[in-house]
Amino acid sequence: MKIYFHLNLETFSNTYVVVDEKTKVALIIDPGKPTNELLKQIETDGYLLSAALITHNHEENTRGLATLKRIYNLSIYAADIDVANTADTTIKGEGFLKFGGITVEYFAVPGHTADSIVYKIGTVLFTGDVISAGEIGSTTSSYAKDLLYRGIQTKIFTLSDDTVIMAGHGPMTSVGAEKLYNLEATSPHVPQFFSSL
C-alpha cells in the first residue's frame, strides 16, 4: 500500500490518495481541489480511482467531487447522504469496505460534525477534523465537545500507540503522541448535565 499526500493551498486542507500497488486500485480521501499534480499522479502511474471517502461534509473535503466524477467512475462514501448521493454508499456507525486489496475500516466519531467518520487502513487513521496534531475538532456546544472527547477516548486512544494519524489539517502524528501531548483530547470536558450520571 502507498499513501500520497496533497495539500490544498486555498484551505490548507489535506487530501490523501491510497493505492494498492498490486491491483492499481486507488482511493481518494477528502478531495478538496484536484490539482494537476494529483491528477497527473493518478494518470501517469495508471491508477484506477474507484472511490472517494469523505470524513465529513465540509466544502474543503468535497469541493473536488464534481470534477473527479466527470473524469472517473468512482463511488462516493460518506455518512451524509447528500454527499454520498445514494443509500448504497451512505455509511453509518461502524463497518468495513473493500477496494481491490485495500480493506477500509470505518467508525463514526461525531462531535465536530454529526457525520464525522474516521477511516482506518492498516495502521493508519484518516481522521478529518476529529483529531489532529495537538488539537481536536471545533464544536458548537459543550454536549458536542463531550461527545467528541468520548469518541476519541474510546475509539482512537484504545488503538496501538504507533497508529499513524493523518488529519484533515496539519502534519501527521500518532495515537501515542496525541495521548501524551494533546491536552484537548486528554482533558475531560464534561458538561454539567452529565455530572450526575
Side-chain angles (χ1 to χ4, degrees):
M1 176 180 76
K2 278 188 176 179
I3 301 172
Y4 298 97
F5 160 80
H6 295 273
L7 175 64
N8 180 347
L9 289 173
E10 288 181 22
T11 58
F12 289 102
S13 58
N14 301 331
T15 294
Y16 302 97
V17 176
V18 182
V19 177
D20 173 24
E21 295 173 280
K22 288 184 182 176
T23 63
K24 296 284 193 175
V25 167
L27 313 173
I28 191 164
I29 299 170
D30 288 342
K33 181 179 179 183
T35 61
N36 288 337
E37 178 188 62
L38 186 148
L39 296 172
K40 184 177 177 183
Q41 181 180 60
I42 293 168
E43 293 299 317
T44 302
D45 294 335
Y47 296 140
L48 307 168
L49 189 61
S50 63
L53 308 179
I54 308 301
T55 59
H56 61 294
N57 186 5
H58 280 174
E59 184 188 5
E60 65 204 31
N61 302 332
T62 61
R63 178 187 287 179
L65 288 176
T67 301
L68 292 173
K69 283 181 71 175
R70 282 195 290 270
I71 303 169
Y72 303 103
N73 182 23
L74 79 161
S75 300
I76 301 166
Y77 291 84
D80 187 326
I81 194 165
D82 291 334
V83 176
N85 291 326
T86 71
D88 291 339
T89 58
T90 302
I91 54 179
K92 298 286 183 196
E94 302 174 359
F96 292 88
L97 302 166
K98 185 132 174 100
F99 308 95
I102 304 171
T103 299
V104 180
E105 181 181 358
Y106 64 86
F107 47 91
V109 185
H112 173 62
T113 62
D115 68 320
S116 289
I117 295 280
V118 172
Y119 298 98
K120 182 175 184 286
I121 303 174
T123 59
V124 179
L125 292 180
F126 299 91
T127 59
D129 291 352
V130 167
I131 187 170
S132 58
E135 297 181 325
I136 65 172
S138 60
T139 56
T140 57
S141 68
S142 57
Y143 172 77
K145 193 166 194 173
D146 184 66
L147 196 61
L148 179 58
Y149 169 79
R150 289 172 190 253
I152 290 168
Q153 290 294 315
T154 60
K155 296 181 180 180
I156 294 176
F157 281 1
T158 54
L159 299 172
S160 172
D161 282 355
D162 61 356
T163 302
V164 175
I165 294 174
M166 294 191 152
H169 302 274
M172 65 181 193
T173 181
S174 70
V175 167
E178 295 313 299
K179 283 162 70 174
L180 284 173
Y181 302 112
N182 190 327
L183 298 180
E184 285 190 285
T186 56
S187 302
H189 306 280
V190 181
Q192 200 68 359
F193 49 83
F194 276 131
S195 59
S196 62
L197 297 178

